[in-house]
Amino acid sequence: DAALAHLNAILTTADVGIAANFEKAEVLEETGKITEAEALYTRIVENFLNLGNTPPRNLPYVAKSLEATEHFEDANDVFGTAVKADPQNAEAWLAWGQLFSKKYDETTAIEKFREALKIDSNMPEAHLEVAKNLASTEPEKAEAEFKAAVEANPKLPEAHLLEASKQIGRAHV
């Protein structure tokens, strides 16, 4: 509730409204308020479709909102537009790769993560995503990417969760 109170304060600020609405939708979703989250994701998409002229920095939020509402092909198109408009947006490349990892194919996902890493070679989330996508086919390379993620951010929660699940898996073998 405290996070929502802070987000509510900036929802109508012109420069951050889309980002704040998206973040609010994620918080709502993570706290089990799915209907409210879906309504916000839908509003972000509708505003994009009806208003046009969305700044390139906000396109990844539109794409992730499309993804959250299961409009995967549209999300893919908007991510493509986002990185074409701003090829240096590492977060957009990362999110696009996550879409490919989830819905399409690992090879293309890894390509998107590598684009993010060309922009920011120390982006721990991108290293971790590469590691997850390589884990079943190239475990040595996956381990190197995992180590790069932890080196870039030793406190990255997702990395520790991945390591814990690997340890649990080894304990059951």
Side-chain angles (χ1 to χ4, degrees):
D1 286 333
L4 291 175
H6 289 287
L7 288 168
N8 284 334
I10 60 171
L11 289 178
T12 58
T13 305
D15 196 42
V16 296
I18 291 175
N21 273 298
F22 179 80
E23 296 295 332
K24 181 178 180 180
E26 282 192 319
V27 169
L28 288 167
E29 187 173 13
E30 289 169 6
T31 56
K33 299 174 182 171
I34 306 301
T35 304
E36 292 175 58
E38 288 174 351
L40 269 178
Y41 290 133
T42 299
R43 186 176 333 139
I44 292 168
V45 171
E46 287 173 354
N47 286 341
F48 167 72
L49 295 172
N50 296 329
L51 301 176
N53 203 23
T54 302
R57 71 182 171 281
N58 289 330
L59 291 174
Y61 299 111
V62 173
K64 289 193 271 188
S65 294
L66 285 160
E67 182 179 347
T69 56
E70 299 187 356
H71 293 92
F72 302 111
E73 289 181 22
D74 293 330
N76 183 42
D77 292 343
V78 174
F79 277 127
T81 301
V83 299
K84 185 175 181 182
D86 182 5
Q88 294 301 304
N89 186 336
E91 294 290 333
W93 285 106
L94 174 69
W96 197 10
Q98 289 168 328
L99 171 66
F100 266 86
S101 183
K102 185 187 325 180
K103 292 305 292 181
Y104 299 110
D105 68 274
E106 289 178 354
T107 303
T108 306
I110 291 169
E111 290 171 8
K112 307 299 183 202
F113 300 136
R114 296 261 187 240
E115 288 297 326
L117 289 166
K118 285 180 190 175
I119 299 159
D120 181 357
S121 62
N122 291 318
M123 184 180 222
E125 300 86 357
H127 283 293
L128 188 60
E129 292 292 340
V130 172
K132 289 192 290 189
N133 279 273
L134 290 175
S136 63
T137 57
E138 298 183 60
E140 298 84 19
K141 288 182 180 180
E143 187 62 28
E145 290 291 342
F146 176 78
K147 287 179 180 175
V150 173
E151 185 176 305
N153 183 356
K155 295 183 180 184
L156 185 67
E158 296 86 0
H160 293 285
L161 290 171
L162 180 63
E163 182 61 22
S165 69
K166 288 185 344 188
Q167 295 299 327
I168 290 168
R170 287 185 193 129
H172 288 100
V173 174

